[in-house]
Amino acid sequence: QVRKVTCSQGTCNSAIALRYGFTSPIEITGITNTLAVSGVEVAGDAFPFYTSQGVYVSRSADGFVLRLPNLVIVHFSPSTGYVSVDIPSSIATKVCGFCGTAAS
């Protein structure tokens, strides 16, 4: 899920929420450049780490990278609102209503 706000380009992504499995979503907000897992904000010195669902979370130069156990990789830059989703070719045909790039 992506939340949008009005910005100089029209609309920008302000936050993303990623749900893997049946637990609380991982939320990343662009306004405060923070990450919360199950509603608890993660401290800057805690990176990288694994969530209880097996999602590997790390920081990148401009935001966050989330690597799911099914090899889906989500990049989010809170400062620009850029969201990128890489989907392995093994599941690319099993995903619907979703945009991303198939990784070979």
Side-chain angles (χ1 to χ4, degrees):
Q1 177 185 32
V2 176
R3 283 178 260 169
K4 296 187 176 284
V5 294
T6 302
C7 66
S8 61
Q9 288 96 11
T11 59
C12 296
N13 300 323
S14 67
I16 64 170
L18 173 71
R19 184 181 303 272
Y20 183 77
F22 298 101
T23 58
S24 298
I26 298 169
E27 295 185 9
I28 304 172
T29 63
I31 297 167
T32 58
N33 197 21
T34 60
L35 180 137
V37 178
S38 300
V40 178
E41 189 172 314
V42 177
D45 59 350
F47 294 93
F49 66 92
Y50 281 92
T51 69
S52 60
Q53 302 88 7
V55 177
Y56 181 74
V57 182
S58 61
R59 292 205 68 139
S60 64
D62 63 344
F64 301 94
V65 179
L66 294 86
R67 298 174 193 273
L68 282 65
N70 63 1
L71 305 180
V72 170
I73 301 172
V74 179
H75 304 264
F76 178 55
S77 172
S79 61
T80 63
Y82 178 76
V83 178
S84 170
V85 180
D86 296 320
I87 302 169
S89 57
S90 60
I91 64 168
T93 60
K94 299 174 181 151
V95 180
C96 60
F98 193 75
C99 295
T101 55
S104 47

